[in-house]
C-alpha cells in the first residue's frame, strides 16, 4: 500500500441516485487523506424544476451538470494531491443523457447537441486511476432516498431508478478506461456498520497495493 500512496491518484465513485456515493467519498477521503470533490446538487438552478417537468428542463439540467463536471475536471488536473470524486463525467452522457433520450424526455435534437459537446470535451478529461461502482437494487435506492429527505427527489419514480440501473449495467459491460471496483450496496452499510467500512477500505487498499490491473473488473459481492 505504501507504494500506491506515494503516487497521485484520481478515484471516482459512481452509482445510481441515493446509493451513497457522497458518504463513501467522504469516508475514503478521511481514511486515505484524499481531496474530495462532490457533485453540485443543492445549488443546481434547474433541479427542482426538472423533477417537476423533466421534458421541459432535461436538456438544461444536463448542460449544467456537464459544465460543473468540466470545471471540476480542470481543477482536478491542476492540483498535486490525490482526489476522490463523487460521480464521474462519463455518467453524465452514458447514464443520464442517454436515459433522457431513451425515455423520450430529451428530444433527438437536444441530445445530439449535448453529445457533440460531450465528445468535444472527453478527449481532454483526465482518466481515473480507479472507478468504484456502487451497485444497488431499486428497493435499496428508494429507501435511502427516503431517509435523506431531499425535497427535489421526492418525485423520483422507482421505474426511473430501474431504468438508470439498466443503463449502469450496460455501461459497466463496456467500460474499459480504468480498473473498476464493484461494491454491493444492498449488502454493505459502511455508514452504520464498522465491519463493512473496514471491508471497503481493504478493497481500496488492495488496488493501492497493485492487486488490480488496468482494464480489470473486480466485483465484490458479499
Amino acid at each position: 500500500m505504501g507504494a500506491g500512496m506515494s503516487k497521485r491518484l484520481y478515484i471516482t465513485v459512481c452509482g445510481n441516485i441515493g446509493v451513497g456515493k457522497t458518504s463513501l467519498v467522504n469516508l475514503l477521503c478521511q481514511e486515505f487523506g484524499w481531496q474530495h470533490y462532490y457533485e453540485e446538487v443543492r445549488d443546481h438552478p434547474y433541479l427542482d424544476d426538472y423533477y417537476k417537468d423533466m421534458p421541459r428542463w432535461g436538456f438544461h439540467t444536463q448542460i449544467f451538470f456537464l459544465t460543473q463536471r468540466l470545471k471540476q475536471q480542470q481543477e482536478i488536473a491542476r492540483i498535486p494531491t490525490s482526489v476522490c470524486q463523487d460521480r464521474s463525467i462519463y455518467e453524465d452522457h452514458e447514464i443520464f443523457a442517454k436515459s433522457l433520450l431513451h425515455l423520450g424526455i430529451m428530444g433527438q435534437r437536444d441530445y445530439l447537441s449535448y453529445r457533440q459537446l460531450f465528445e468535444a470535451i472527453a478527449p481532454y478529461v483526465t482518466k481515473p486511476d480507479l472507478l468504484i461502482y456502487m451497485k444497488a437494487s431499486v428497493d435499496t435506492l428508494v429507501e435511502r432516498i427516503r431517509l435523506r429527505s431531499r425535497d427535489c427527489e421526492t418525485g423520483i419514480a422507482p421505474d426511473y431508478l430501474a431504468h438508470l440501473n439498466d443503463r449502469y449495467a450496460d455501461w459497466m459491460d463496456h467500460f474499459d478506461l480504468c480498473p473498476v471496483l464493484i461494491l454491493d450496496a444492498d449488502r454493505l452499510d459502511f455508514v452504520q456498520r464498522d465491519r463493512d467500512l473496514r471491508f471497503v477500505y481493504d478493497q481500496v487498499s488492495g488496488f493501492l497495493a497493485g492487486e488490480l490491473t488496468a482494464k480489470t473488473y473486480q466485483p465484490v459481492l458479499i
Side-chain angles (χ1 to χ4, degrees), residues 135 182-184 187 199 219-222:
K135 182 179 180 180
I182 302 176
L183 299 176
D184 185 349
R187 301 184 183 183
F199 176 84
V220 177
L221 307 174
I222 66 171

Side-chain angles (χ1 to χ4, degrees), residues 14-188:
C14 70
N16 208 333
I17 301 165
V19 75
K21 297 181 299 299
T22 302
S23 296
L24 182 58
V25 168
N26 184 46
L27 291 165
L28 290 174
C29 288
Q30 290 178 25
E31 175 71 8
F32 295 104
W34 297 336
Q35 171 68 48
H36 56 71
Y37 277 87
Y38 298 118
E39 186 176 35
E40 298 289 342
V41 174
R42 296 190 184 279
D43 296 326
H44 195 307
Y46 297 106
L47 207 55
D48 288 340
D49 291 326
Y50 169 70
Y51 284 126
K52 294 173 184 175
D53 188 350
M54 289 184 173
R56 172 68 178 85
W57 298 105
F59 179 74
H60 302 75
T61 298
Q62 291 308 119
I63 289 294
F64 181 84
F65 273 131
L66 186 61
T67 301
Q68 294 303 108
R69 208 89 62 194
L70 177 59
K71 289 167 63 177
Q72 276 194 358
Q73 294 296 146
Q74 291 172 329
E75 190 170 339
I76 287 170
R78 290 194 302 265
I79 66 173
T81 57
S82 292
V83 167
C84 189
Q85 181 187 36
D86 177 350
R87 182 158 278 149
S88 74
I89 194 170
Y90 307 107
E91 288 166 270
D92 289 318
H93 176 253
E94 295 297 329
I95 307 301
F96 293 97
K98 283 186 176 180
S99 290
L100 296 187
L101 174 67
H102 291 163
L103 293 170
I105 295 170
M106 184 185 293
Q108 185 74 21
R109 181 175 61 175
D110 285 345
Y111 171 75
L112 290 176
S113 295
Y114 177 92
R115 190 180 73 182
Q116 288 181 41
L117 178 59
F118 177 83
E119 290 175 347
I121 291 170
Y124 303 98
V125 172
T126 302
K127 295 179 182 179
D129 295 293
L130 175 67
L131 186 146
I132 301 173
Y133 169 45
M134 299 179 66
K135 182 179 180 180
S137 65
V138 171
D139 287 345
T140 295
L141 297 171
V142 168
E143 176 62 13
R144 292 184 180 177
I145 289 171
R146 184 189 68 80
L147 288 173
R148 72 185 188 184
S149 300
R150 291 180 182 170
D151 290 341
C152 66
E153 294 176 345
T154 56
I156 298 177
D159 286 351
Y160 179 59
L161 296 173
H163 177 82
L164 294 180
N165 268 353
D166 290 342
R167 291 237 53 90
Y168 272 107
D170 181 65
W171 180 48
M172 286 292 98
D173 284 343
H174 300 91
F175 184 85
D176 62 357
L177 294 177
C178 71
V180 176
L181 175 64
I182 302 176
L183 299 176
D184 185 349
D186 287 332
R187 301 184 183 183
L188 290 169

